[in-house]
Structures are given as structure tokens and as C-alpha cells.
Amino acid sequence: MKQILVSGVIGLFLSLIGTPLLIRLLARKGYGQMIRDDGPQAHHSKRGTPTMGGIAFILATLIAYASTKLITGDKPSMSGVLVLFLTAGLGLVGFLDDYIKIVKQRSLGLRAKAKMAGQLIVGITFAVLALNFHDSRNQTPASTKLSFTTDFGWSIGPVIFVIWALFMILAMSNGVNLTDGLDGLATGASVMVFAAYTVIGVWQYGQWCGAQVSANGACYEVRDPLDLAVVAAALMGACFGFLWWNTSPAKIFMGDTGSLALGGALAGLAICSRTEMLLAILGGLFVLITMSVIIQVGSFRLTGKRVFRMAPLQHHFELKGWSEVLVVVRFWIIQGMCMAVGLGIFYAGWVAAS
């Protein structure tokens, strides 16, 4: 458990002191945010705010994890390394997208096909590797079975698993990207989900098949539950430190660098902890906002009418007259309830099994 505390504290500290250094560097180079002309008018005052802030919490997370292993003397696990690979890999795709936006001074960065190709390469690599690296109990970081609070049903096979993993990775990375429209919204929501995965990792380790089995034989078949908690704690701490500077009025935006990385981290944690479908509840705010875009686009194409004043959903409430801070705080409350319900379902699943 010492590892979890150390990784969280280091991630928080590095992000808290590293983000202002990044702000000064980006401001000096003129790497400011481009603002959509068709967005809420209040957002035009944010033009020029440093972006690519995801660099700060990605580096803080990676350093926190490595430092924790050096301090405690514990070896890195393949599950932890693969989640960090997915986080950093998608962060790199997002960085290229942000950099092109800034250099070419346009609100669109990488072409859609190039961006998708980058996400597919990173996602496929993660999914394939996650089905390898057996431990002494023949467990791999991921399972070819679908999962909710644990694995269930028959194996779907490696090919369908890779497709399923890609769907999750793309859905979550783009979901966080859509949520990242208001100061601190996506960062604060992500902190809550990473906190939930820290709790899940700790609980799974306490009931882990690799250490002990309950009286009736119930336990969690997860390859590296404790190390997943370490990664989640590092991400939680790093995002918390970044939130100090990202909350309204934001001194820096995470950009696609951060949003794609966070979405990848959430999907990776869900896949490796065998809670894939539970992520839709734990990260309910991201799902809600993504659905608002799907509904808006679908309605307009089918009927020519819009359901919301503007999508994603947070902008609908802005145009209804809610202040940015009011939208963010209320959406955080919604995410907090989703996290609480998700953890309740996770615990209920254990009670039912035992």
C-alpha cells in the first residue's frame, strides 16, 4: 500500500510544480489555444491560453510510477507498463494534433484519417501485447472474456477482443476529448474515475487469487491489481496537481495531448482490471456528453432539427445562461454520483459472488 501513497504524492507534487513551468515555456513560444468561431462567444476571451498541458501530467505520471518503483524496490508489472504505454502513446498522437493546430494557426490539427491511424496503431499494439506476458499463474494483463465487475461468459477470441479493446479506447479517448470544453471539467471528472480505480485495485489485491481465496473460493483473477492501483493513484495525483492551474479561469488547457491520454488511461485500467463495462458507469459523465453529440448529429441528419442548442452538452447549458463555473461544478456532481454508483455496483458484485 506504500506504493500507492508514494505514487499519488509524487504525481501530485510534480504536476503542481511542473505545470507553471510548462505554462511559462508554452507562453514564451506562443503556443496558445485556437478557439472555434462557432463556439460560445464567452470562449473567445480564452484565445491564446497555453495548450498542450497534458504534457505536464503525463510526464508527472510516468516519473511518479518510475520513482515509486525505485523508492520501494518493487518491480514494474506488465499491466502497469501497458496502461502507461497506452496513456503516453495516445498522448503523443494528441500532441501532434495540438502542435499542428498551433503551427498552422487553425482549429483543426491532424487530418481525421491520420489521427485515427495513430489511435489505431497505439490501440492495436496495446491490445495485442495485453494478451501476452503470462505470469506464474498463466494470467495475462487482459482477458479475452468480456467483463463487468469480473470476467463473465465465454471467450470472445483474440481478434474480437482486439476490436472490442479498440472500441473502448477510441470511445473513451474521444469521450474525454469532447468533455474537455470548459475549464477543469475533464480534469476534475478524470480525478474521480482514477480515484475509483485506485480503490478497485486495492480491493482486488485484498481479494486476489494470487494471494488468497475466500472461504467459498471467491477471488479476483487479475494479473497485477496492486500495480494498477499504483498507476491509477499516480494519474489521480498528477491530474489533481494540474487541476490547480486548469480550473477557472484556466491558466493552461490540456489539449488533445491530455484528453486522448486520459481516455486511453481509463480504457487501459478498465481492460486490465476486468471492469470493462463498469467503466461506462464509473465514467458516466463522459458517456453522457458523448451521447449528446451522437443524438445531436443523428437528429439533425434525420430530421434537420437539433435537440440541443449546441453539442457537446456542456455548451447547451452555457447557451441557456449558466455560467461556466456553474456548469462545471454541477457536472462534477453528476460524475461524483456516477463514480459512487459504479463503486457500489462493484462491491455488490463481490458480495453476490462471495
Side-chain angles (χ1 to χ4, degrees):
M1 301 306 169
K2 176 184 176 182
Q3 294 184 66
I4 297 170
L5 179 62
V6 171
S7 66
V9 170
I10 294 177
L12 171 63
F13 177 75
L14 291 177
S15 186
L16 196 60
I17 65 170
T19 302
L21 299 177
L22 180 63
I23 291 172
R24 287 197 286 271
L25 174 63
L26 295 173
R28 188 162 58 245
K29 290 183 173 294
Y31 289 175
Q33 176 71 31
M34 299 295 296
I35 303 296
R36 291 169 49 189
D37 293 330
D38 60 345
Q41 291 300 309
H43 287 207
H44 287 276
S45 62
K46 301 180 182 183
R47 190 184 302 273
T49 302
T51 187
M52 297 194 294
I55 295 171
F57 58 73
I58 292 172
L59 290 178
T61 299
L62 296 175
I63 295 172
Y65 180 80
S67 299
T68 298
K69 295 305 174 182
L70 289 173
I71 292 170
T72 62
D74 293 293
K75 294 181 179 180
S77 73
M78 280 310 304
S79 298
V81 170
L82 283 174
V83 172
L84 292 175
F85 162 77
L86 184 59
T87 303
L90 290 180
L92 178 59
V93 175
F95 171 80
L96 294 174
D97 189 42
D98 287 332
Y99 187 76
I100 291 172
K101 290 177 186 176
I102 293 168
V103 171
K104 295 192 175 181
Q105 290 292 295
R106 67 185 192 192
S107 59
L108 295 176
L110 280 173
R111 300 297 180 188
K113 290 183 179 179
K115 188 174 182 179
M116 178 63 74
Q119 290 175 293
L120 289 175
I121 290 171
V122 175
I124 291 172
T125 302
F126 165 83
V128 171
L129 292 178
L131 292 179
N132 291 281
F133 302 103
H134 296 73
D135 65 5
S136 58
R137 298 182 304 113
N138 204 36
Q139 290 290 312
T140 54
S143 167
T144 56
K145 291 184 177 180
L146 296 177
S147 62
F148 187 48
T149 59
T150 58
D151 285 341
F152 66 86
W154 301 97
S155 170
I156 59 176
V159 175
I160 297 179
F161 166 77
V162 170
I163 295 172
W164 167 241
L166 279 176
F167 170 77
M168 286 190 61
I169 292 166
L170 293 174
M172 286 310 302
S173 59
N174 289 298
V176 178
N177 185 256
L178 290 171
T179 305
D180 182 36
L182 301 181
D183 295 355
L185 178 57
T187 309
S190 296
V191 167
M192 297 182 205
V193 189
F194 289 133
Y197 270 109
T198 303
V199 172
I200 287 172
V202 170
W203 180 260
Q204 287 179 332
Y205 182 67
Q207 323 296 332
W208 183 39
C209 295
Q212 62 184 23
V213 181
S214 66
N216 65 351
C219 59
Y220 288 101
E221 281 289 3
V222 179
R223 188 186 191 279
D224 308 293
L226 181 60
D227 213 41
L228 291 175
V230 172
V231 172
L235 285 160
M236 177 181 65
C239 286
F240 226 146
F242 181 75
L243 185 60
W244 181 272
W245 306 99
N246 181 233
T247 194
S248 183
K251 301 295 188 296
I252 188 170
F253 300 135
M254 69 169 69
D256 282 11
T257 305
S259 60
L260 296 187
L262 292 181
L266 292 172
L269 287 169
I271 291 169
C272 292
S273 65
R274 313 292 205 268
T275 56
E276 296 160 0
M277 295 182 183
L278 186 64
L279 179 58
I281 300 174
L282 290 170
L285 180 65
F286 302 123
V287 176
L288 178 65
I289 288 176
T290 302
M291 289 304 299
S292 74
V293 174
I294 294 172
I295 291 170
Q296 183 85 325
V297 173
S299 176
F300 186 75
R301 288 183 176 177
L302 291 173
T303 67
K305 296 180 180 180
R306 292 179 172 87
V307 176
F308 307 106
R309 294 188 180 186
M310 185 177 181
L313 188 61
Q314 62 268 31
H315 299 318
H316 167 78
F317 289 103
E318 277 193 292
L319 294 179
K320 282 178 65 69
W322 292 18
S323 69
E324 180 174 3
V325 173
L326 181 62
V327 176
V328 169
V329 171
R330 286 182 174 174
F331 275 39
W332 279 351
I333 292 171
I334 292 172
Q335 174 53 45
M337 291 189 292
C338 292
M339 179 191 71
V341 171
L343 286 175
I345 292 173
F346 176 77
Y347 180 69
W350 169 258
V351 172
S354 58

